[in-house]
Every structure is written in C-alpha cells, then in structure tokens.
Amino acid sequence: MEDIQEKLATNKTSPQLSQHVLKHANSREVTVLKRNDPFLTHAMDSSELDLELTTYASKKLEVERMPPVDTLAAPKLCSTRLQHIIDLLKTDGMVDKGDIIKNLEYSISVLDTLYIEETKRLFDDDDALNEVEPDAVPSEVRDWLAQTFTKSQTGTRVQGERPKFKSVAQAVRAGLMVDRLYRRMSSCGSESAVEPPTPVAKILKDVDQWSFNVFDLDEHSGGNSLRYMGYELIRSQGLISKLRINGNHLDNFLTALQVGYSKYSNPYHNLIHGADVAQTVYALLQISGLMKWLTDIEIFATIIAALIHDYEHTGTTNNFHIMSRTSLAMLYNDRAVLENHHLSAAFELMKSEDKNILSGLKAEEYREFRSLVIDMVLATDMSGHFQQIKNMRSMLSCAENIEKSKALSLILHTADISHPSKPWVVHKRWTDNLIEEFFKQGDREKVLGIACSPLCDRQTTLVEKSQIGFITIIVEPSFNVLGDMMEKLVAVLQNNNTLVDSGTQAHTILEDVEAEASQLNHIKSTNLKSLSMKEVAMVKHWEVCLAENRKKWKELAGVEDDPPEKSDDRNNNANSTNSRSTNRAISRSTSTTGLKLDARELNSQLPRSLSKQTSTTGISSLSSKHFFT
C-alpha cells in the first residue's frame, strides 16, 4: 500500500486519480470496471503503472488490483496470474484456498467477457459492414447502409442467425451508387468554375498530342495557359468529383500559381513553361497507356507536381543563389534551393482556405499526395540527373520492382527537359527564351562581381553548339531510358493480365465487392489488355523531333551532319556513352541543372564532325557550360 502511495506521489498523479487508485487498492472485492472508467483511462496510459500491474500479477495472489475484466490488459495479466499459481503449486508453495477461488472467479469473468464480446461481434449485423474498409464509403453512406440493409432497423434480432454476405454485397453496391450520386451532386456546378473560351477549348482537344503548341494556347487564352491547362488535365480525369475538389478553390489555386510564376517576369521559367511541362507529362502518360497504371491520387499528384515544379522561380540558377548567398540559399542550406522553395511555397498556397484543393482528401491520401509531389519536384534538380538515369537503368533489369515514385519522377524530369524533343517551331522559341534568361543572370553576376555562370555570358556563349551537346548528352539518353521504362512497365502489366486470365476460374461475390469498393479508394482498375508494347513503341514521336532539331542546330552551327545510323546502334551508343565516359565527365554542381562537362571528355563524346569544327574557344564555351532546361 505504501509503495503505491509513493509511486503516485513520485509521478505527480492528479489527486482524483490518486484517490481512485488507492480506493481500488484498499478494496477487498473483485472490482469490475468498464473501459470508460476514468481510472482505467488514466492508469492504462501510464507505462510505469502497467509494469507495476505486471509485477503484481506475477508475484502476488490477491485480485484487488487486477485490471478490469473488459480491458485488453486483463487476459494477459490473468494468464500471468494463473501461471504464477501453477508454479507455486508445482513447488509445493503455500497457496491459500481463498486466493485460488478469487483468482479463478476473476479468470471466469475475463473469459465470459471475451466470449460475450466475440459472440456479439460474430452475430451482429452491423459488424458485417465493418468488413468493408472504413474509408471505402463516406460516413453518411455507411449510416444509410446500416439503417436500410441491416436487421437492426427492426429492433429485434433472431439469436444465432448470421447475416449472409450476399446481402452485404448488395448493400455495398447500392451504397456505391448512392456515393456516386452524392459526389455528383456535391460537385454540381463546380466543374464549370473555369469555362474556357471556344478557341481555347478547341486547342485543348489536342492536349494529349506530342505536337501540342503551348504558345498557341497562351496566346488564345490571354496569357492564362497554366490556368486552363491545369483545369483541363484535372477535369479530364474526373478528379474534381472523385477527390471532392472544390472547383472555385481549384480556379483560385491555378490563378495564384500564375501570379507566382509571373513574379519575376522570367523569359523561360514562367507560367507557360509550367503549362508546357504539365501537358508533356500528361501526353507521356496517355501515349504509353500508363495512365491506367496509376490511382486517382497518383494522377492528381503527378499533375500538381508538374504544375508547381517551378512555382516562384527567380529566373536564376541554384548556383547563383549559392554564390550570391541569397536568403533562399541560407534557408535551404545550398541543397536544391529552388526546388525546395517551389514545394514549400506551393503547399503554403494550398493551405489558404480559398485555394485549398486538398480539403477533400483523407489523412492517408494527403500523406501519399504530399510525399509523391515532394519526390517528383525534388527530382527536377538537375544536379541529380545522371544518378537518376543510372538508378532507373539499374531498375530496368527487374521491371517488376520499379517504384511508382521513381517512374513518375523520371517522367516529370524528362518532361522538364523535353523542349528539344518538340517540333522545331516550339523548341527554337523555348531556346531563345532560355538563353535570354541566362544572359540576364550573367548581367547580374557581372554587376555583383561574381564569376559569370556557364551559358550566361552574352559575349562568349555559343548557342547552337550548346544545344547540340544538350540534345546528344542529356535529352536523348533521358528519353531512351524513359522509353525503355515505359515499354517494360507495359510488358509487366501484359504478363500479369495473362496470368490472371489463365488462372481465373470463378468470380465470387467477395471479388465483386472488393473490386467495386476499391473504386472508392480511388484505385483505377487497369485495363491491361489495352496496354501494348507495340502500341508504346509506335508513338515515340520525340525520336523524330530530336533528330530533326539536332540536324537544324548543326546546320546553323555550320557543322557537318553525321552519317545516318541504325536506330539500334544510336541507342546503344547513347547508352554506352552515358554510362561510361559521360559519367566520368560529369561534375556535380548545385545549379538548376548542375551539369558541367570537362572539355576533353565532351569533345570525345560529341560527333566527330562537330569535334573537328569546334575551336578551342568553342569547346570551352560549350563544355564548361551547364546544360539548362
């Protein structure tokens, strides 16, 4: 008794709890407490008191301080106590008959309680609905199911009669129908929050095409390309209703994104670039068929990551921030400075009440969404380009183990550097904008008295040759790996479909329910038959554009074009070049792209005709530059 008082005093337990513990410690009766008893609530939260009870059960024989019979601790401590009594009896220890009776009575109470609760669980109609995942249906739908399809509504229940699973399946199907109606009604009118003008709507019909011209969209939309693009991509996948997104909030969010992208009046890293990258990601997913491989949350995260990936870009590189010691560099400790800022600022934007596009997500959905967006945007830091390509090439040896986050990160990263893979009229315009942005940074660096960053000096930069190197060393190998990844993923899905078809002999009601309930978890069923390796291989439009654009840059640079190679030879050469000599030539830095090539290494990798016609100055200008996107 004294040790309990000392323990309570040491732990500074509340006076009410102390009195309650002492009251039960002084009692000579078996006290049956319920789980809502305040003593139990506080006591079971104390690890030291739990240890005290365990010691008590294994050393003592009285039952006054044993836990209430309907708690989780009771069965375990009851077992401990009975084992203690058996040990005493085996060793001829002195055991009072009265103590044995009290302990057996306590044990009977524990077992009775367990039996009653388990029986109630097995025969309760309401509990049959608990077999459906809690997040599968909204609470209001679950309540309606319970009231309409369980026997509890009659107020009587036939003892011993278990509910038939078929009735539960029918209830779930009906609930799904009600849920769809509920979502449709709750989102009614919200999808019309952004009504694109007719010319804009016409352009957006080709949003899944590789030849899509984002500049046309921006001109016809009055400078609102990101707003209309973002809304169209999210709307086209039905995410507004599926994820309970408020249409007005989405419009406010997209409008605010445009403001952030326009903050520094960047020629390149602006809202048009955000719209372009989002469209490219979308086109890649549609072209490959991998859109069907993703859940609704993953699609939503991918679209948002693409839209925000350069939000509030300063028009300068990470290296500029580090060298000039800006507040952002200090905040993020020189690590992925801009990428971290894009993420932080965008998520802060989504916290605003009138821009909160995540309010309809459940807690685990939000965590999945945020984690995936962070992974994807951080992967756009080009300082990790070669490691990312190397890692994916390693994973391709076992495509079944490719993580979705890694695959989606590669898709976004490749889309971010994809303008050389677009038609010349689009690529040339992007290049002009990018070079102008670099030159502006170079002008600032000269004023600040710091070294001029690669490709940022108006006097020495050789644009044409830098683009040839950019395509050959960076963009083309990236698309080669991306294409391989998509083909292998589709092949895996095809193989899985074959196994399922050959092994499926019966279709149970349980499978029906699980399949339909999974839709409420936003897991899209994959139509594996529609995913074909042949289909993917036929739509690599970027290969044609890359070849044509490189040829045009060579013509502008006065460089002879290489003799045509077989496509297999070109891919093999690009892969071997990138994995061997290119890796040796790369020097990681913390600029936006972070790619610096040694002049001699780069010269050995470029086509011979280019190497021969590139002067020492030209090689330095090209090879010492970062290849930006």
Side-chain angles (χ1 to χ4, degrees):
M1 186 63 200
E2 292 178 354
D3 62 329
I4 296 178
Q5 291 175 327
E6 181 180 355
K7 178 70 68 176
L8 293 172
T10 303
N11 290 329
K12 299 181 180 180
T13 310
S14 66
Q16 295 84 354
L17 177 58
S18 300
Q19 294 176 6
H20 212 138
V21 173
L22 293 174
K23 173 184 175 182
H24 288 283
N26 282 320
S27 173
R28 303 305 300 172
E29 300 176 353
V30 177
T31 305
V32 179
L33 300 179
K34 295 300 180 183
R35 268 185 273 243
N36 59 358
D37 190 292
F39 165 68
L40 174 65
T41 302
H42 290 282
M44 295 307 292
D45 285 341
S46 171
S47 58
E48 290 196 17
L49 195 54
D50 287 344
L51 178 61
E52 184 79 18
L53 289 174
T54 301
T55 304
Y56 172 76
S58 62
K59 301 295 183 183
K60 306 294 183 180
L61 291 175
E62 60 268 18
V63 296
E64 285 77 9
R65 289 173 51 207
M66 292 293 280
V69 296
D70 64 343
T71 63
L72 293 175
K76 176 62 178 176
L77 294 179
C78 177
S79 173
T80 302
R81 173 57 60 82
L82 291 177
Q83 185 62 53
H84 174 51
I85 292 175
I86 291 173
D87 291 342
L88 289 175
L89 293 174
K90 285 181 177 181
T91 58
D92 296 328
M94 297 296 295
V95 183
D96 183 75
K97 179 180 179 181
D99 288 334
I100 294 178
I101 292 175
K102 286 185 178 181
N103 278 281
L104 290 176
E105 288 176 343
Y106 175 79
S107 301
I108 290 172
S109 298
V110 172
L111 292 173
D112 283 344
T113 301
L114 288 175
Y115 173 77
I116 292 171
E117 290 188 355
E118 182 64 12
T119 302
K120 180 181 178 182
R121 188 188 70 80
L122 290 173
F123 293 108
D124 194 344
D125 283 353
D126 291 336
D127 197 67
L129 287 176
N130 290 334
E131 295 180 10
V132 180
E133 290 295 328
D135 296 332
V137 292
S139 58
E140 61 270 23
V141 176
R142 181 179 292 276
D143 292 341
W144 174 75
L145 288 174
Q147 293 176 5
T148 308
F149 294 97
T150 65
K151 296 174 185 178
S152 60
Q153 62 179 328
T154 63
T156 60
R157 175 163 52 89
V158 180
Q159 294 294 327
E161 182 179 351
R162 298 186 61 179
K164 298 182 184 299
F165 189 82
K166 184 176 180 179
S167 65
V168 179
Q170 292 171 342
V172 171
R173 291 192 183 99
L176 291 171
M177 183 182 298
V178 172
D179 181 68
R180 294 189 189 105
L181 291 173
Y182 167 78
R183 290 182 179 179
R184 193 173 302 166
M185 292 174 63
S186 63
S187 62
C188 184
S190 64
E191 296 204 24
S192 61
V194 177
E195 280 291 345
T198 302
V200 173
K202 184 177 180 180
I203 293 174
L204 287 172
K205 288 182 179 179
D206 296 327
V207 73
D208 58 350
Q209 300 299 307
W210 194 254
S211 58
F212 187 88
N213 190 329
V214 72
F215 293 109
D216 286 346
L217 173 63
D218 197 66
E219 291 166 7
H220 285 84
S221 64
N224 290 289
S225 54
L226 187 141
R227 174 175 177 248
Y228 287 117
M229 177 62 70
Y231 208 96
E232 173 60 22
L233 299 185
I234 293 171
R235 184 207 61 78
S236 67
Q237 295 301 305
L239 300 179
I240 295 177
S241 59
K242 291 177 181 178
L243 301 182
R244 302 167 294 280
I245 302 171
N246 183 296
N248 292 322
H249 291 178
L250 177 58
D251 186 24
N252 293 338
F253 171 71
L254 294 172
T255 301
L257 275 186
Q258 292 196 147
V259 174
Y261 268 100
S262 305
K263 187 174 182 179
Y264 298 97
S265 302
N266 303 325
Y268 181 85
H269 289 103
N270 51 37
L271 66 92
I272 309 175
H273 173 66
D276 180 54
V277 172
Q279 185 275 329
T280 303
V281 167
Y282 184 83
L284 285 170
L285 292 175
Q286 291 285 42
I287 287 171
S288 64
L290 290 179
M291 189 75 80
K292 301 171 185 178
W293 179 54
L294 304 175
T295 68
D296 291 330
I297 288 294
E298 290 164 345
I299 294 173
F300 186 46
T302 301
I303 294 173
I304 294 299
L307 290 170
I308 72 168
H309 84 280
D310 275 331
Y311 175 65
E312 288 191 348
H313 198 291
T314 58
T316 53
T317 65
N318 282 339
N319 194 52
F320 175 86
H321 284 280
I322 295 168
M323 297 303 295
S324 58
R325 304 178 185 180
T326 66
S327 58
L328 286 180
M330 298 297 106
L331 178 62
Y332 297 113
N333 300 310
D334 298 349
R335 305 292 177 86
V337 176
L338 287 169
E339 290 74 24
N340 274 304
H341 176 68
H342 304 325
L343 284 163
S344 178
F347 272 100
E348 279 294 329
L349 198 62
M350 285 182 267
K351 286 173 60 178
S352 302
E353 183 176 354
D354 64 337
K355 303 176 189 67
N356 189 350
I357 60 175
L358 310 178
S359 59
L361 301 185
K362 302 179 180 69
E364 66 272 16
E365 291 174 333
Y366 173 81
R367 287 193 295 269
E368 179 186 359
F369 170 88
R370 178 168 165 80
S371 176
L372 186 53
V373 170
I374 290 173
D375 287 346
M376 292 181 68
V377 174
L378 288 180
T380 63
D381 179 3
M382 280 292 291
S383 66
H385 167 80
F386 283 99
Q387 188 61 47
Q388 187 177 9
I389 297 298
K390 180 181 177 181
N391 291 343
M392 180 53 67
R393 189 175 284 116
S394 298
M395 283 189 278
L396 290 178
S397 61
C398 188
E400 293 86 350
N401 296 330
I402 295 178
E403 300 175 26
K404 281 187 176 180
S405 64
K406 302 294 186 187
L408 292 173
S409 293
L410 179 61
I411 289 174
L412 177 57
H413 167 60
T414 308
D416 196 24
I417 60 174
S418 67
H419 67 81
S421 70
K422 301 295 181 67
W424 172 259
V425 65
V426 175
H427 166 51
K428 180 60 166 62
R429 188 166 175 179
W430 277 127
T431 302
D432 293 342
N433 292 349
L434 181 59
I435 293 300
E436 178 57 29
E437 188 169 304
F438 288 166
F439 288 166
K440 287 187 174 182
Q441 173 175 317
D443 295 341
R444 292 179 61 184
E445 288 171 330
K446 291 177 181 179
V447 172
L448 293 173
I450 59 179
C452 197
S453 296
L455 291 180
C456 295
D457 193 327
R458 295 180 185 271
Q459 307 303 319
T460 62
T461 298
L462 301 177
V463 177
E464 295 82 5
K465 293 177 181 178
S466 71
Q467 287 304 302
I468 297 170
F470 181 45
I471 293 173
T472 303
I473 306 300
I474 306 301
V475 182
E476 188 173 47
S478 298
F479 270 100
N480 288 340
V481 173
L482 178 68
D484 291 345
M485 181 196 76
M486 292 192 298
E487 288 183 345
K488 286 186 178 293
L489 286 174
V490 168
V492 170
L493 293 172
Q494 272 191 305
N495 292 336
N496 289 343
N497 184 52
T498 301
L499 293 173
V500 170
D501 286 345
S502 61
T504 302
Q505 298 180 354
H507 203 63
T508 65
I509 295 175
L510 175 60
E511 290 170 338
D512 285 336
V513 172
E514 290 178 340
E516 293 190 65
S518 69
Q519 296 177 15
L520 289 180
N521 283 326
H522 315 304
I523 301 177
K524 300 179 68 176
S525 59
T526 304
N527 185 4
L528 299 175
K529 291 182 179 179
S530 68
L531 301 178
S532 166
M533 286 184 64
K534 181 179 179 182
E535 187 177 22
V536 175
M538 290 174 58
V539 292
K540 293 180 180 177
H541 302 296
W542 53 81
E543 292 181 344
V544 175
C545 293
L546 283 171
E548 291 180 350
N549 291 338
R550 176 166 42 202
K551 182 178 180 180
K552 286 183 180 293
W553 285 119
K554 287 183 177 182
E555 292 173 354
L556 292 173
V559 176
E560 292 181 4
D561 196 14
D562 291 327
E565 293 182 285
K566 294 180 181 180
S567 59
D568 290 343
D569 292 338
R570 178 177 291 277
N571 288 339
N572 290 336
N573 290 340
N575 288 340
S576 62
T577 297
N578 187 59
S579 61
R580 295 196 302 271
S581 56
T582 302
N583 282 339
R584 294 196 306 269
I586 296 304
S587 169
R588 300 274 176 85
S589 77
T590 52
S591 66
T592 301
T593 55
L595 305 178
K596 182 181 291 187
L597 302 182
D598 177 76
R600 289 169 296 180
E601 291 282 359
L602 178 61
N603 191 37
S604 67
Q605 295 172 46
L606 292 176
R608 284 176 294 176
S609 59
L610 176 61
S611 301
K612 292 177 181 178
Q613 299 189 34
T614 305
S615 65
T616 304
T617 304
I619 293 176
S620 176
S621 175
L622 170 61
S623 62
S624 66
K625 306 308 182 184
H626 297 284
F627 290 118
F628 295 92
T629 53

